């Protein structure tokens, strides 16, 4: 049995909403680097059973790929508390994937949300300070 979940437009929102920490691999069958990354991703999923590891087949789910502006595959995205905290194209080696997961686990999400709110406030205010 696979440790990863196939994400579709039908289950994507529920998966991200119902789980605090979701990793998403955007991939396609024809993509060589995607196929090379797949066993690394699967191994990380087995090593981190408390996290949700999802896969989006960009050929079968073009709306999801478009919604996240996926330009190249594979692209790894990490969503914590419904906030995308990491997104990077390219097949990560095992050590790099482990490191990224560790860094994402350590994030203070209250601080992340505060930074996002500050950035949005600056954008809405035209970037003018007080």
């Amino acid at each position: 049995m696979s440790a990863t979940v196939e994400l579709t437009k039908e289950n994507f929102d529920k998966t991200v909403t119902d789980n605090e920490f979701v990793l998403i691999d955007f991939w396609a069958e024809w993509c060589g680097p995607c196929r090379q990354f797949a066993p690394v991703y699967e191994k990380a999923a087995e090593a981190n059973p408390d996290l949700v590891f999802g896969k989006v087949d960009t050929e079968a789910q073009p709306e999801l790929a478009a919604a996240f502006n996926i330009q190249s595959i594979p692209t790894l995205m990490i969503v914590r508390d419904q906030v995308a905290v990491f997104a990077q194209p390219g097949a990560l080696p095992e050590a790099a994937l482990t490191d990224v997961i560790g860094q994402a686990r350590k994030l203070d999400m209250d601080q992340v949300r505060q930074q996002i709110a500050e950035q949005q406030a600056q954008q809405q205010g035209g970037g003018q300070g007080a």
Side-chain angles (χ1 to χ4, degrees), residues 6-113:
E6 182 71 27
L7 294 176
T8 65
K9 63 183 181 200
E10 287 76 25
N11 70 356
F12 187 90
D13 287 342
K14 182 169 174 38
T15 301
V16 171
T17 302
D18 291 355
N19 296 282
E20 170 183 321
F21 198 124
V22 182
L23 293 92
I24 305 162
D25 175 22
F26 290 89
W27 69 286
E29 187 65 43
W30 52 263
C31 165
C34 298
R35 290 196 304 271
Q36 291 173 334
F37 181 59
V40 173
Y41 191 70
E42 195 72 34
K43 187 174 179 184
E46 291 166 8
N48 295 278
D50 59 318
L51 306 181
V52 175
F53 283 72
K55 293 179 76 74
V56 174
D57 180 344
T58 57
E59 292 292 302
Q61 302 297 323
E63 301 93 341
L64 283 177
F68 289 97
N69 202 23
I70 301 301
Q71 300 293 320
S72 62
I73 51 175
T75 289
L76 175 68
M77 183 176 288
I78 299 177
V79 178
R80 277 200 54 197
D81 299 343
Q82 302 172 42
V83 176
V85 295
F86 179 86
Q88 178 178 313
L92 293 174
E94 187 177 338
L97 179 57
T98 300
D99 183 51
V100 164
I101 292 169
Q103 288 181 44
R105 281 184 185 273
K106 291 177 192 165
L107 285 174
D108 178 338
M109 289 309 294
D110 290 332
Q111 191 174 12
V112 169
R113 279 189 286 276

